[in-house]
């Protein structure tokens, strides 16, 4: 194992450092950035303590930015497909992806009420770095999960400028996890959740392809949590205020939300040559990886997944045509044979499972609005529970 496969950039242990080794072979960084060209950036906001005052905080939120082909590849299409396990969420730009099977825009992920800021911020950023693209239309992908348990979600703290800064910060290399970027205020299985990533290498003849996953984990109830096939959630002696106590303070106090509320966004990248239907088939395998960690898919969890392939880099063919049509414009692409897709499906499931574990393990306690507390998954108790069986 490499250092990056087992430890986060700031030195905190990931799942592998605790001896948890989901099946499969990870890439050098065990991250979505193992797929050549993919870049990830963050901006994180953690400010204030005490009672909620809308517009003032406390603030526990941020933005995650993913550039499928890096900064220089904005506007160049990737084959893409998406899948919705449960539609109680938002991912913009997907109607166009359904129509043409392509993703050529950045992806941003934040909180539910920041979709507009992410959309506006991405368009402003593209107008600054690629003004030629913004002369026609832009349909960026902006996705969300709800961080209102810890964050002043209605305070409009995520701004278009913050989104632009997240996009500017995108880079290759090891990826920070846990309470960072859009995952800052998120919870998973009633523990502190957030951003997680992992990758898998897939051999195809003499070629080795990479499957990379990035997810924003904000789903699952405590009793469901399953790690390496063992139901451990109820065996961990850690307070569970998110599911057991009322939220807020009088006169605005409300009952706790049902267990499993929240959402999960999964972005899947690969350099294997895929057509859009194969990307969609990859996205449809994401739930199997999530299920390995215990979730049964709550109605109150928006579970939305997007897969894209960076193979076959070429210019866009969806803009306004120029001049008369020519045979030179015909597009020829290569793709994996359908009867060889199973190894890629397996890689998706393995990487999704590990990314969820990393989002939980690379984390610390967080207290947010109105004193709401989200405990970190306790490493010592977890390992003891796994040993006991």
């Amino acid at each position: 194992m490499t250092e990056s496969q087992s430890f986060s950039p700031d030195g905190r242990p990931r799942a592998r450092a605790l001896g948890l080794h989901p099946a499969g072979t990870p890439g050098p960084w065990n991250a979505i950035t193992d797929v050549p060209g993919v870049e990830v950036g963050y901006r994180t906001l953690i400010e204030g303590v005490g009672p909620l005052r809308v517009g003032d905080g406390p603030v526990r939120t941020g933005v995650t930015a993913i550039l499928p082909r890096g900064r220089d590849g904005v506007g160049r299409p990737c084959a893409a497909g998406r899948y919705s396990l449960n539609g109680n969420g938002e991912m913009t730009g997907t109607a166009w992806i359904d129509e043409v099977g392509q993703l050529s825009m950045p992806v941003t992920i934040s909180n539910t009420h920041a979709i507009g800021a992410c959309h506006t911020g991405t368009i402003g950023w593209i107008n600054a770095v690629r003004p030629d693209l913004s002369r026609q239309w832009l349909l960026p992908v902006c996705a969300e999960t709800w961080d209102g348990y810890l964050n002043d979600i209605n305070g409009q703290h995520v701004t278009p400028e913050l989104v632009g800064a997240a996009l500017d910060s995108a880079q290759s290399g090891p990826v920070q996890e846990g309470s960072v970027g859009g995952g800052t205020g998120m919870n998973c299985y009633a523990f502190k959740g957030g951003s997680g990533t992992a990758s898998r290498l897939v051999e195809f003849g003499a070629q080795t392809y990479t499957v990379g996953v990035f997810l924003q984990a904000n789903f699952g109830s405590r009793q469901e949590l399953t790690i390496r096939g063992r139901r451990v959630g109820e065996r961990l002696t850690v307070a569970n205020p998110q599911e057991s106590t009322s939220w807020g303070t009088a006169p605005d106090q409300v009952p706790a939300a049902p267990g499993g509320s929240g959402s999960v966004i999964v972005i899947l990248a690969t350099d294997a040559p895929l057509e859009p239907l194969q990307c969609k088939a990859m996205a449809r395998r994401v739930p199997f990886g999530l299920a390995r960690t215990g979730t049964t898919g709550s109605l109150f969890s928006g579970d939305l997944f997007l897969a894209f392939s960076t193979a076959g880099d070429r210019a866009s063919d969806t803009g306004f045509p120029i001049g008369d049509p020519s045979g030179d414009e015909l597009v020829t692409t290569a793709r994996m044979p359908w009867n060889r897709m199973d190894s890629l499906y397996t890689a998706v499931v393995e990487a999704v499972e590990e990314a969820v574990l990393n989002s939980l393990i690379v984390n610390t306690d967080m207290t947010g609005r109105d004193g709401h507390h989200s405990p970190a998954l306790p490493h010592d108790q977890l390992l003891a529970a796994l040993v006991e069986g």
Side-chain angles (χ1 to χ4, degrees):
M1 291 188 293
T2 67
E3 184 81 3
S4 295
Q5 289 172 345
S6 302
F7 294 89
S8 70
D10 62 5
R12 288 183 291 174
R14 306 175 76 191
R16 288 175 180 268
L18 298 188
L20 303 177
H21 300 279
T25 303
W29 297 318
N30 196 15
I32 192 172
T33 47
D34 284 319
V35 178
V38 177
E39 297 178 352
V40 175
Y42 293 123
R43 279 297 179 266
T44 301
L45 297 176
I46 300 176
E47 301 172 359
V49 296
L52 172 65
R53 296 197 305 273
V54 175
D56 293 329
V59 183
R60 306 287 188 272
T61 195
V63 182
T64 300
I66 299 174
L67 302 180
R69 294 194 184 278
R71 185 186 185 99
D72 295 337
V74 174
R76 301 184 70 83
C78 298
R82 57 101 179 193
Y83 178 64
S84 169
L85 176 65
N86 186 55
N88 191 356
E90 183 62 85
M91 181 183 284
T92 70
T94 52
W96 186 234
I97 291 172
D98 289 345
E99 186 70 26
V100 297
Q102 295 179 13
L103 169 70
S104 58
M105 295 285 103
V107 177
T108 56
I109 317 172
S110 187
N111 74 64
T112 306
H113 297 178
I115 285 287
C118 287
H119 202 274
T120 299
T122 302
I123 289 174
W125 182 82
I126 294 173
N127 190 50
V129 302
R130 287 293 308 274
D132 56 312
L133 295 178
S134 59
R135 292 172 190 145
Q136 296 189 20
W137 68 91
L138 300 173
L139 296 170
V141 173
C142 309
E144 54 76 29
T145 63
W146 191 82
D147 61 11
Y149 176 70
L150 294 172
N151 178 48
D152 173 19
I153 193 171
N154 294 317
Q156 300 183 29
H157 301 285
V158 173
T159 64
E161 293 75 19
L162 190 77
V163 175
L167 288 160
D168 272 333
S169 74
Q171 60 184 355
S172 184
V175 176
Q176 189 61 268
E177 293 168 299
S179 298
V180 64
T184 299
M186 304 305 169
N187 305 283
C188 187
Y189 293 110
F191 289 107
K192 190 67 194 68
S195 302
T197 190
S199 68
R200 289 296 182 273
L201 302 180
V202 178
E203 294 184 1
F204 181 76
Q207 181 70 43
T208 299
Y209 295 120
T210 301
V211 173
V213 165
F214 181 94
L215 53 79
Q216 187 161 294
N218 192 50
F219 68 98
S221 66
R222 176 71 62 86
Q223 66 179 5
E224 292 177 325
L225 178 59
T226 302
I227 295 180
R228 309 306 296 141
R230 298 176 182 174
R231 295 287 291 271
V232 298
E234 291 185 325
R235 298 171 61 184
L236 304 177
T237 58
V238 179
N240 185 5
Q242 183 182 352
E243 296 180 343
S244 63
T245 61
S246 296
W247 293 8
T249 56
D252 300 317
Q253 197 169 63
V254 297
S261 303
S263 297
V264 58
I265 299 297
V266 181
I267 308 299
L268 169 66
T270 184
D271 57 354
L274 303 180
E275 65 179 12
L277 282 177
Q278 291 174 318
C279 291
K280 182 174 184 177
M282 296 275 278
R284 291 175 63 183
R285 268 59 186 187
V286 168
F288 295 105
L290 298 176
R292 287 186 175 186
T293 67
T295 183
T296 54
S298 168
L299 173 68
F300 306 104
S301 180
D303 305 336
L304 307 177
F305 319 130
L306 173 65
F308 62 86
S309 168
T310 61
D313 187 15
R314 59 182 176 82
S316 173
D317 61 353
T318 59
F320 297 140
I322 300 174
D324 295 327
S326 164
D328 294 338
E329 296 179 79
L330 294 175
V331 177
T332 301
T333 61
R335 66 161 174 85
M336 291 284 290
W338 277 101
N339 60 5
R340 298 292 186 180
M341 287 292 293
D342 279 0
S343 58
L344 293 171
Y345 296 158
T346 299
V348 171
V349 176
E350 293 170 349
V352 168
E353 178 188 11
E354 186 166 1
V356 174
L357 298 183
N358 286 334
S359 76
L360 287 162
I361 290 169
V362 188
N363 233 313
T364 56
D365 296 353
M366 181 175 286
T367 300
R369 52 155 283 209
D370 297 315
H372 290 177
H373 184 69
S374 183
L377 182 68
H379 298 177
D380 54 349
Q381 287 192 41
L382 170 62
L383 295 177
L386 292 175
V387 169
E388 293 169 3

